[in-house]
Amino acid sequence: MEDNVVCVIATEKHTGLIKTCTSCDKENANHYTKYYRSIGYNSRTVTYEELEQIYEKEKQEIDDRRIQEWLLAI
């Protein structure tokens, strides 16, 4: 049953950052993907392992950006 559960993520078109996600069965993922796209987000279906990797990469990019902004402010 757990192999059937996925996460549909909605990301901002300009930044690519995750704004929200929905946990659902694979059969329902297309519904949520279409919904997020209809309200202006990019969206895709991922496994929870992929979500963790995407989140860690996003977190690192945000940290790097903050460091660059801090260095420029000095």
Side-chain angles (χ1 to χ4, degrees):
M1 181 78 178
E2 285 187 29
D3 291 339
N4 198 31
V5 177
V6 295
C7 185
V8 178
I9 59 173
T11 57
E12 286 188 334
K13 288 186 177 184
H14 301 290
T15 64
L17 298 177
I18 297 172
K19 296 309 283 181
T20 189
C21 68
T22 299
S23 179
C24 61
D25 291 335
K26 283 182 184 178
E27 294 81 32
N28 297 328
N30 195 39
H31 167 77
Y32 293 105
T33 301
K34 286 180 180 180
Y35 171 72
Y36 286 139
R37 289 180 181 160
S38 76
I39 60 172
Y41 292 107
N42 289 333
S43 64
R44 65 183 180 159
T45 303
V46 298
T47 64
Y48 277 93
E49 292 80 20
E50 292 171 321
L51 178 62
E52 187 174 337
Q53 292 171 356
I54 293 166
Y55 176 72
E56 288 301 321
K57 181 180 175 192
E58 187 176 285
K59 183 180 170 191
Q60 186 62 46
E61 289 173 0
I62 291 169
D63 289 345
D64 290 348
R65 228 179 285 148
R66 286 182 181 157
I67 290 170
Q68 288 297 321
E69 288 173 1
W70 180 77
L71 290 173
L72 290 172
I74 293 178

